[in-house]
Amino acid sequence: MLADGETNSEVAHFVSTSARRDFWWLCVATFFTFLTTSTASYLSVIFTSFGMDAASTGAILTSPVAVVTASSLVAARLISRFSSVSVIATGQLIILLSYLSFQITISDARLAALSYTMFILGFGLYFPAALIHAKGKLRGPRTAYYFGIFSCMFILPNVIGPSVTEWYFSNFGIQLLFPLLCVPLIFGMTLILVRRRRPSGAPRAVGTQVDAGPYLALLTRQTLLPAYVATFVVGFVWGFIPSFMALFLKQNAVPTALFFPAYTCTLLVSRFTILRWLSTLAPASVVSFGLACMGFALALLLLISRFPTATVAAATIFGFGYSMTFPVLSVWISDQFREDERTKPVTLFGAVFNFSTFLLPLCVGQLIEVAGMRPVLLMLVALAFGGALILVAGRRLAVTDPRL
């Protein structure tokens, strides 16, 4: 039977009417939270303005790699004990305090690394808790489509954040920069706290999760290994965007507004339109095609010094490719488990993605300092195409889904 005010359409895609409201409320809160965090992609430029080289910048941006991995894995236990919304709110608070601290620590490499580590600790708690909370509101064959829309809220702020930060820093420098950038995050925190105090009509997910097994066993399970390997590759290739893309554009005298808005708008449009159809296809095929697009886009950036307008084409293709990887990978993994078993597999997905994303600056910081950006781009192009080929070749390993 349907609850009061519930329609057949709502039942088809959401657990309940209240779950639908919670889902869209979380989307808005996540957008404003990540409107603040998206400005961190400009940190590499700010660090260099204080005399830090690419190697030092890479070390700072990689400093939280262990913390973000550990916090993502610990989040599963915290979610089971305190609820996903509580972990989301805690993550927001840590992000706020650490980002405000940049106003004091930004000029000192060691202190800035500490601030960034705490900043990513908050992100490491928020990210998996939000994924699990959103996924728990959805059901039916369009889960990947709606989950893709939700995951856009992590990326959509890139249309605004880096460009606004570039404009403010160019005109006013560091003065009050970080307190002002925290205003959207404070609004996002308010939305979470207000919704948390309202009855949602759904049971609180505490002590209801079943242990899906040790993390190592999940990571090496034959049916999951291709998805987790693909997650690592996608995270590593995408990691160039928030860490060094702004610096790369500045070195080539190209405004960030030529890349980030085009990339984000394409990603958003793709997830609202094309992903609706792609989500019905074999996940391995969709992810391999997305990786190939990401690799081709980075290859186009090798022409940026002669053709600055290639930036827009590269951004569009990269956004299109990335739009079909992250949500499809998450659903590919979670759909292999019952609803009450998904906390660990999904948090492991987040941990692998974050680990590879924050590993990239460590791997390429020294290389950029010695050889420049071109070898880094060539390496990422090879990795993206290589990952796509491996997924196609190893497609038969994933046997749980008959579409594969």
Side-chain angles (χ1 to χ4, degrees):
M1 294 179 64
L2 301 181
D4 292 341
E6 202 168 30
T7 68
N8 286 319
S9 176
E10 288 167 344
V11 171
H13 306 308
F14 298 92
V15 174
S16 65
T17 302
S18 60
R20 183 171 71 94
R21 289 195 296 266
D22 285 343
F23 176 83
W24 293 115
W25 194 274
L26 179 64
C27 283
V28 175
T30 299
F31 171 82
F32 282 104
T33 298
F34 279 77
L35 185 54
T36 289
T37 64
S38 69
T39 63
S41 62
Y42 202 74
L43 284 176
S44 58
V45 176
I46 300 176
F47 289 148
T48 56
S49 73
F50 282 96
M52 301 180 197
D53 56 24
S56 299
T57 300
I60 294 173
L61 297 178
T62 305
S63 57
V65 64
V67 170
V68 71
T69 305
S71 62
S72 296
L73 296 177
V74 170
R77 180 169 295 182
L78 296 176
I79 291 166
S80 295
R81 183 172 182 180
F82 298 107
S83 84
S84 55
V85 178
S86 297
V87 177
I88 287 171
T90 301
Q92 286 178 315
L93 179 60
I94 295 174
I95 292 172
L96 174 64
L97 296 177
S98 59
Y99 211 62
L100 286 172
S101 73
F102 272 124
Q103 194 65 39
I104 301 172
T105 65
I106 192 68
S107 60
D108 186 290
R110 293 182 179 179
L111 293 178
L114 179 60
S115 292
Y116 194 66
T117 298
M118 295 305 297
F119 171 72
I120 298 304
L121 170 63
F123 169 82
L125 293 175
Y126 187 101
F127 187 70
L131 294 183
I132 290 169
H133 193 67
K135 185 69 169 58
K137 306 298 177 183
L138 302 171
R139 69 177 178 185
R142 291 285 174 83
T143 294
Y145 169 70
Y146 281 99
F147 192 78
I149 292 175
F150 168 71
S151 61
C152 276
M153 299 303 108
F154 295 105
I155 308 297
L156 180 59
N158 284 310
V159 173
I160 307 170
S163 299
V164 169
T165 308
E166 180 181 46
W167 174 83
Y168 187 95
F169 185 71
S170 298
N171 288 277
F172 304 103
I174 204 70
Q175 185 178 9
L176 294 178
L177 175 64
F178 294 100
L180 289 174
L181 294 179
C182 282
V183 172
L185 170 58
I186 293 171
F187 182 70
M189 289 179 64
T190 303
L191 291 177
I192 291 295
L193 293 175
V194 168
R195 191 64 185 174
R196 184 185 177 194
R197 291 183 172 86
R198 294 176 61 183
S200 64
R204 186 165 171 255
V206 181
T208 61
Q209 295 296 312
V210 175
D211 195 333
Y215 282 117
L216 183 59
L218 291 173
L219 193 61
T220 56
R221 186 183 296 187
Q222 188 181 40
T223 57
L224 292 172
L225 183 59
Y228 281 127
V229 171
T231 299
F232 179 89
V233 175
V234 169
F236 193 85
V237 174
W238 181 79
F240 183 79
I241 305 303
S243 58
F244 285 112
M245 178 56 74
L247 182 60
F248 172 72
L249 295 173
K250 185 174 179 62
Q251 288 177 350
N252 288 275
V254 176
T256 59
L258 280 183
F259 183 88
F260 287 100
Y263 151 70
T264 309
C265 288
T266 302
L267 185 149
L268 183 64
V269 171
S270 296
R271 287 190 179 169
F272 270 100
T273 56
I274 299 173
L275 189 59
R276 182 189 294 267
W277 172 70
L278 290 175
S279 62
T280 64
L281 303 179
S285 299
V286 175
V287 174
S288 62
F289 180 65
L291 267 173
C293 290
M294 292 167 70
F296 182 69
L298 293 177
L300 275 179
L301 288 177
L302 294 170
L303 304 175
I304 193 175
S305 58
R306 288 190 297 169
F307 306 103
T309 51
T311 307
V312 178
T316 301
I317 296 170
F318 194 95
F320 175 71
Y322 181 67
S323 73
M324 63 188 74
T325 56
F326 184 89
V328 172
L329 281 167
S330 177
V331 174
W332 182 6
I333 291 169
S334 65
D335 276 358
Q336 298 189 43
F337 298 87
R338 300 194 315 265
E339 188 70 36
D340 58 353
E341 294 179 321
R342 290 175 178 173
T343 298
K344 267 196 170 182
V346 173
T347 53
L348 180 59
F349 162 74
V352 171
F353 181 84
N354 290 330
F355 174 78
S356 59
T357 297
F358 291 100
L359 182 65
L360 176 126
L362 178 64
C363 295
V364 307
Q366 294 288 346
L367 183 59
I368 290 174
E369 190 65 25
V370 174
M373 292 284 189
R374 290 182 67 85
V376 171
L377 289 174
L378 287 171
M379 177 189 70
L380 294 176
V381 169
L383 183 62
F385 281 114
L389 290 174
I390 290 172
L391 265 182
V392 172
R395 201 172 141 192
R396 292 184 180 178
L397 289 174
V399 296
T400 58
D401 190 334
R403 296 173 300 166
L404 298 174

